[in-house]
Amino acid sequence: EVQLVETGGGLIQPGGSLRLSCAASGFTVSSNYMSWVRQAPGKGLEWVSVIYSGGSTYYADSVKGRFTISRDNSKNTLYLQMNSLRAEDTAVYYCARDTIFSRPPGYVYYMDVWGKGTTVTVSS
Amino acid sequence: AIRITQSPSSLSASTGDRVTITCRASQGISSYLAWYQQKPGKAPKLLIYAASTLQSGVPSRFSGSGSGTDFTLTISCLQSEDFATYYCQQYYSYPRLTFGGGTKVEIK
């Protein structure tokens, strides 16, 4: 079964650090583009970061320089290292598998596998 | 950054109703738009990609249309399991994705 399971959320003080994990089963993380998406309480979805199968990484401006996406191929696990956390980082964090393929003259993209999410609360 | 304006932010409807949700992009995004459904406490679920292609397993009462800046998601005959929040997502500027603000479909 294709599945993603996030762990690592919790209560952290402003300025602190936290590492989220996203364990995959049924497919290979390193062969796919993988994203993190977050959702603040009562709010909409916000894309956070992506790692390409080739290893390139991209970040939303709101987290650039503070968050780092990575993966461990041997564990088939995606990570999000979050430093210098702020109250506005409080959210449920989801990992998702990106599917992207060519459909001339352009391409098609979607997030087709999502984890259940892990909650991060930044508060003193 | 490409902004997506989704409307309405909420709506009340009855089972059997036809429901339409709209997304407008701040610039042309061709057909690079997806739709997701999210139920409370759950992860989003992909419904439609490339503006109008139904994801496998999604009921045919869901349909999407549009191109350029204006897009719609239509539920032709609302069922009880369709009460949820719906989000559109543009991927024209991939990897810098943006979502609409969401539309909560509630029971009238």
Side-chain angles (χ1 to χ4, degrees):
Chain A
E1 181 189 7
V2 172
Q3 192 175 2
L4 292 168
V5 178
E6 303 97 333
T7 55
L11 174 64
I12 188 77
Q13 292 189 338
S17 297
L18 209 56
R19 188 178 81 158
L20 306 183
S21 300
C22 169
S25 55
F27 72 98
T28 302
V29 165
S30 62
S31 299
N32 287 271
Y33 290 13
M34 299 291 298
S35 283
W36 287 96
V37 174
R38 68 184 180 182
Q39 186 169 35
K43 302 297 184 181
L45 301 168
E46 180 188 17
W47 171 76
V48 172
S49 181
V50 65
I51 184 167
Y52 288 1
S53 52
S56 297
T57 59
Y58 298 88
Y59 301 91
D61 290 343
S62 57
V63 307
K64 195 171 186 179
R66 301 187 298 122
F67 290 12
T68 302
I69 191 171
S70 64
R71 65 190 182 214
D72 184 328
N73 297 345
S74 67
K75 296 182 178 179
N76 205 29
T77 298
L78 177 74
Y79 299 102
L80 186 68
Q81 176 67 43
M82 305 186 295
N83 299 331
S84 303
L85 283 161
R86 307 166 180 168
E88 54 264 36
D89 296 318
T90 294
V92 175
Y93 284 74
Y94 298 100
C95 60
R97 183 178 75 178
D98 291 13
T99 290
I100 185 166
F101 56 89
S102 174
R103 179 186 282 182
Y107 65 95
V108 171
Y109 164 87
Y110 46 79
M111 294 172 164
D112 63 342
V113 181
W114 294 69
K116 295 183 187 299
T118 187
T119 300
V120 173
T121 303
V122 185
S123 175
S124 54
Chain B
I2 299 174
R3 296 181 306 279
I4 303 290
T5 302
Q6 190 171 339
S7 61
S9 56
S10 65
L11 63 90
S12 295
S14 301
T15 303
D17 284 353
R18 181 182 181 90
V19 168
T20 298
I21 298 168
T22 298
C23 282
R24 174 164 288 176
S26 59
Q27 66 181 72
I29 59 170
S30 185
S31 297
Y32 292 6
L33 189 102
W35 290 94
Y36 298 84
Q37 175 194 66
Q38 186 181 35
K39 295 183 178 180
K42 302 293 187 182
K45 172 190 171 184
L46 175 68
L47 297 176
I48 287 168
Y49 59 91
S52 61
T53 302
L54 204 64
Q55 169 70 340
S56 175
V58 174
S60 59
R61 62 181 180 272
F62 290 91
S63 64
S65 65
S67 182
T69 59
D70 295 319
F71 302 85
T72 59
L73 171 70
T74 300
I75 310 172
S76 60
C77 183
L78 199 65
Q79 301 299 300
S80 57
E81 60 266 31
D82 300 336
F83 290 97
T85 300
Y86 294 85
Y87 293 94
C88 58
Q89 174 204 53
Q90 69 79 22
Y91 53 89
Y92 183 84
S93 59
Y94 187 82
R96 303 196 181 284
L97 308 167
T98 48
F99 292 88
T103 296
K104 186 174 183 179
V105 177
E106 299 176 297
I107 301 172
K108 183 182 285 184

